[in-house]
Amino acid sequence: MTAVTPPPETLRAPLVVEFPFTRSLGPVQSAFLTGLRERTVLGVRTGTGEVLVPPVEYDPATAAELRDLVEVGATGTVTTWAWNHEPRPGQPLATPFAWVLVRLDGADTALLHALDAPGPHAVRTGMRVRVRWADERAGAITDIACFEPHDSDPVAEPRPHDGLFADPVTGIVAPARLDYTYSPGGAQTRYLRALAERRTVGERCPSCSKVYVPPRGACPTCGVATTDQVEVGPRGTVTTYCIVNIKAKNLDIEVPYVYAHIALDGAGLALHGRIGGIPYDQVRMGLRVEPVWSDDGRYPDHYRPTGEPDADYDTYKELL
Amino acid sequence: MTPHRPDREVAIVAFAQSDHRRRTDDLSEVEMVMPVLHEVLRQTGLKTSDIGFTCSGSSDYLAGRAFSFTMALDGVGAWPPISESHVETDGAWALYEAWVKLLTGEADTALVYSYGKASPGSVRDVLTRQLDPYYLAPLWPDSVALAALQAQALLDAGATDEPALAAIAARSRQDAADNPHAQLPGARPQGEYLVQPLRTGDCPPIGDGAAAVILAAGDRARELCSRPAWIRGMDHRIEAHSLGVRDLTDSPSTRLAAERAGAFEAPVDTAELHAPFTSQEVVLRRALDLDESVRVNPSGGALAANPVMAAGLIRLGEAAARIHRGDSDRALAHATSGPCLQQNLVAVLEGEPHVR
Ligand SMILES: [Zn+2]
């Protein structure tokens, strides 16, 4: 019998995902976004004469290709709205504002944007608004800084527009950042906590007895939880390897170096690790290795030869 | 329009879901999913190796990690290789794919599961990344804001009012008191405006959870379940991409999907509607022509537990479970995905008459 120990508190760490998507624009979106840069709002006319703003390349009803650009007004009417008490990062205004769908004069559909207004009492469906242009415009939806209340009579007719501008915008870069707090769950927490004590802990499948290291919590063969913890290593055998000749960005390891699969003694599968302490061209299958811990002692920085004779192929052939 | 009639009988024969919680830091995705998988297998007596086809639904954006579903696959016993597929959306669409697979005769049983861990990130911000990247995503309109625009359109149209929305919230959470898995069981204050006109009470909880069902065809279904929930029809449809093109007070895609699924051929007694916001229940009831005789969301619905990517599959599972138990004879299940009911799936489930 083993004593029941409380599960260790789960590890947590910040995780930031940032991506600048570079997107190309078709003829219609290019004209629309270039137009915004030039303080001109373009729509596109469908086969039935409807004017879609913002414009799209294909009719949402018939899928027919749309290329007939028209210019609409920079004034319009709110078709629905929602008061945003607490603006979130990235939204058009940092002060409380209304989200609005605005049907611009001459358009038959509505554009989503923000409306700068003193409070929800100052906003209603049907109210008249106009575009407030951003001071610096680059050919993006954010060239409209927001809408603002504006009393004016609707202008009825859209005007034909060839969609041609000098120096058209052909693409956008859409940056995004999402912040997460990552927690690795039970099995990986147990693994990482043991590493901090310079121990490598795998987990055994109760059904097939295979020992997974690092453990992920489940046996992919049996589809059951691996809960039975087993200390493996510290020594192991190189089952296969490759020689890395190209330096990765932000990595201060001299090339060439060897990256290997290492079957720790007692483990049911090999894990990944770098081999050091031996010239790269002398690393071989069957080489016996042991971990060299990082300076802060929280994980094996690399593995080095133990000096033992090489392992016999039959002892690790199932782990390749 | 004539509903499509499947040639092969396929039924939901088992359903399980996790206890939905605000956070599950102590569990990785596979650790969260596994008990649910084991539960549906236990209900049917099947082993993982007996399953003909496996399909899952989830989204990498929730966890902030690429190909996160491959880790969860460890929980289904994916080695030796299995016949498997994944949809990057709600698991209801994974169920649709599995249904088609069974209809073609390529498999007799299917395991469908889905999960969402919204707790690591800010789900309102995360969901902005599914929007049009040219016109919408750069403005970061969050999921509550978009739902609020739809709610205001309904108020303006006179289709509902704030007390009616509050009543939907209250009814849902009261019903959830009987649901041991619900995240928000029992009465809650309607709260302040989150994005006006939606109050906290009009919005779904944010949480982590998972669900699984097993599908089986023909006699196999009868062997595995004493009262299978036969899928009489299922269809899914999408609205025009741009929000400003749509009439936000209506859901023609839901109506069309329901028509194609045969929902209007005979009355249903139960409807599990995937309406994360109270105002969306108003839209769906109108689109589906549901009157007061239909029991809507006896589980408490998405207002009581809304694990993103699993909440739609749970609607199908809850509807099926009511048929399994004999509480329903003909049920409608609906799932949605995207802003303001962008995409909608409708299934019609029936139980055979039997002596209880
Ligand atoms: Zn196993």
Side-chain angles (χ1 to χ4, degrees):
Chain A
M1 288 295 282
T2 52
V4 177
T5 48
E9 192 186 323
T10 309
L11 295 170
R12 296 162 64 91
L15 170 68
V16 178
V17 176
E18 269 184 300
F19 42 97
F21 268 124
T22 304
R23 296 182 175 273
S24 54
L25 303 171
V28 171
Q29 289 179 317
S30 171
F32 175 69
L33 293 178
T34 309
L36 295 185
R37 191 189 67 199
E38 307 304 324
R39 301 184 186 225
T40 299
V41 187
L42 299 184
V44 70
R45 200 188 292 273
T46 69
T48 56
E50 262 201 326
V51 173
L52 308 180
V53 180
V56 291
E57 288 156 339
Y58 297 92
D59 190 317
T62 65
E65 190 170 323
L66 302 177
R67 292 292 181 270
D68 182 12
L69 294 166
V70 292
E71 182 178 353
V72 299
T75 51
T77 304
V78 170
T79 63
T80 185
W81 62 282
W83 186 258
N84 189 26
H85 302 264
E86 290 179 33
R88 304 172 73 79
Q91 294 183 345
L93 294 169
T95 50
F97 66 89
W99 288 107
V100 281
L101 280 166
V102 175
R103 189 170 55 232
L104 290 166
D105 294 337
D108 294 294
T109 64
L111 172 88
L112 180 97
H113 221 293
L115 170 69
D116 189 6
H121 60 277
V123 187
R124 61 180 175 79
T125 298
M127 77 183 285
R128 296 284 298 159
V129 295
R130 74 172 168 199
V131 170
R132 181 190 295 166
W133 296 104
D135 292 336
E136 288 179 22
R137 297 180 306 281
I141 193 66
T142 45
D143 288 355
I144 297 176
C146 62
F147 283 89
E148 59 192 18
H150 178 70
D151 279 324
S152 62
D153 292 328
V155 185
E157 283 304 304
R159 297 184 295 280
H161 195 289
D162 60 13
L164 299 177
F165 297 93
D167 189 20
V169 178
T170 58
I172 60 167
V173 179
R177 174 191 167 120
L178 294 169
D179 282 273
Y180 300 88
T181 302
Y182 180 70
S183 60
Q188 292 188 68
T189 289
R190 292 189 287 273
Y191 174 73
L192 293 170
R193 291 220 183 266
L195 278 187
E197 299 167 5
R198 301 199 174 194
R199 296 185 302 122
T200 304
V201 170
E203 293 194 358
R204 192 191 307 275
C205 172
S207 174
C208 70
S209 296
K210 192 165 179 171
V211 174
Y212 290 90
V213 54
R216 296 205 306 239
C219 173
T221 303
C222 306
V224 298
T226 57
T227 49
D228 182 12
Q229 290 175 58
V230 184
E231 190 160 338
V232 298
R235 293 186 167 187
T237 302
V238 172
T239 62
T240 184
Y241 64 96
C242 65
I243 300 167
V244 180
N245 286 289
I246 296 172
K247 210 175 167 81
K249 202 176 166 185
N250 301 329
L251 193 70
D252 59 354
I253 298 171
E254 285 306 312
V255 291
Y257 66 87
V258 174
Y259 197 66
H261 275 186
I262 301 155
L264 296 181
D265 297 345
L269 75 169
L271 49 66
H272 305 216
R274 183 168 63 88
I275 305 298
I278 179 173
Y280 71 89
D281 55 0
Q282 292 176 27
V283 174
R284 54 202 180 266
M285 289 170 72
L287 182 70
R288 294 285 294 160
V289 294
E290 63 189 4
V292 176
W293 294 83
S294 60
D295 288 342
D296 59 7
R298 289 171 64 185
Y299 56 91
D301 178 71
H302 64 275
Y303 290 79
R304 68 180 170 210
T306 62
E308 293 167 276
D310 285 3
D312 188 55
Y313 179 69
D314 283 340
T315 65
Y316 63 87
K317 67 180 181 187
E318 299 296 329
L319 304 176
L320 280 175
Chain B
M1 198 158 310
T2 325
H4 172 78
R5 293 192 186 285
D7 300 330
R8 203 175 185 218
E9 284 188 310
V10 176
I12 298 176
V13 296
F15 167 58
Q17 62 185 313
S18 63
D19 293 343
H20 308 294
R21 290 154 51 189
R22 179 62 189 87
R23 327 193 55 86
T24 52
D25 290 353
D26 50 328
L27 300 175
S28 66
E29 286 161 337
V30 68
E31 289 165 345
M32 185 173 73
V33 167
M34 236 178 334
V36 171
L37 299 173
H38 294 166
E39 173 57 21
V40 285
L41 292 169
R42 188 198 62 75
Q43 286 175 27
T44 53
L46 293 171
K47 298 190 298 295
T48 51
S49 53
D50 298 330
I51 298 291
F53 180 60
T54 299
C55 199
S56 61
S58 67
S59 171
D60 283 350
Y61 275 78
L62 291 172
R65 290 157 65 217
F67 294 99
S68 59
F69 78 93
T70 59
M71 300 285 199
L73 262 180
D74 285 351
V76 303
W79 177 266
I82 59 172
S83 172
E84 182 271 339
S85 182
H86 175 258
V87 299
E88 189 77 9
T89 184
D90 192 287
W93 277 262
L95 188 149
Y96 186 92
E97 184 175 333
W99 179 62
V100 170
K101 191 85 165 180
L102 265 58
L103 290 181
T104 64
E106 280 192 46
D108 291 330
T109 53
L111 171 64
V112 179
Y113 66 96
S114 64
Y115 61 92
K117 272 192 81 155
S119 62
S122 165
V123 72
R124 282 173 73 180
D125 299 324
V126 166
L127 290 178
T128 65
R129 300 303 94 191
Q130 71 180 341
L131 302 170
D132 170 343
Y134 302 97
Y135 299 158
L136 291 184
L139 306 175
W140 295 80
D142 61 278
S143 46
V144 179
L146 295 172
L149 286 167
Q150 186 172 33
Q152 184 63 42
L154 283 168
L155 295 176
D156 287 335
T160 190
D161 54 27
E162 289 198 36
L165 296 182
I168 290 170
R171 190 210 70 228
S172 299
R173 284 162 191 144
Q174 201 52 58
D175 284 342
D178 294 331
N179 178 352
H181 305 287
Q183 191 178 335
L184 294 188
R188 306 273 148 170
Q190 197 50 1
E192 300 294 315
Y193 286 123
L194 207 52
V195 179
Q196 191 175 337
L198 292 180
R199 296 174 184 274
T200 318
D202 293 308
C203 302
I206 295 170
D208 302 348
V213 303
I214 288 178
L215 301 182
D219 288 340
R220 197 80 180 95
R222 292 183 185 90
E223 290 163 21
L224 297 172
C225 180
S226 62
R227 195 180 193 231
W230 298 105
I231 302 172
R232 297 303 187 203
M234 180 155 45
D235 196 77
H236 62 95
R237 300 282 153 168
I238 183 170
E239 303 290 343
H241 192 80
S242 175
L243 286 173
V245 169
R246 296 168 47 189
D247 172 2
L248 294 177
T249 66
D250 196 9
S251 184
S253 60
T254 299
R255 189 179 299 111
L256 182 56
E259 227 170 79
R260 301 288 299 216
F264 301 128
E265 298 198 318
V268 296
D269 53 47
T270 302
E272 277 285 344
L273 305 180
H274 187 192
F277 299 91
T278 52
S279 42
Q280 295 181 342
E281 183 178 307
V282 176
V283 177
L284 292 172
R285 275 180 181 269
R286 285 153 55 98
L288 292 166
D289 221 0
L290 299 177
D291 61 28
E292 294 306 315
S293 69
V294 181
R295 185 80 170 87
V296 172
N297 289 349
S299 64
L303 286 163
N306 189 41
V308 178
M309 303 301 150
L313 180 62
I314 291 170
R315 303 283 70 77
L316 286 138
E318 290 280 10
R322 263 176 91 77
I323 287 171
H324 297 161
R325 293 194 300 266
D327 294 339
S328 169
D329 294 321
R330 181 173 157 89
L332 180 150
H334 160 266
T336 195
S337 180
C340 300
L341 303 171
Q342 182 82 25
Q343 310 182 47
N344 296 286
L345 178 150
V346 174
V348 176
L349 307 175
E350 278 183 2
E352 283 161 0
H354 80 325
V355 184
R356 264 175 253 158

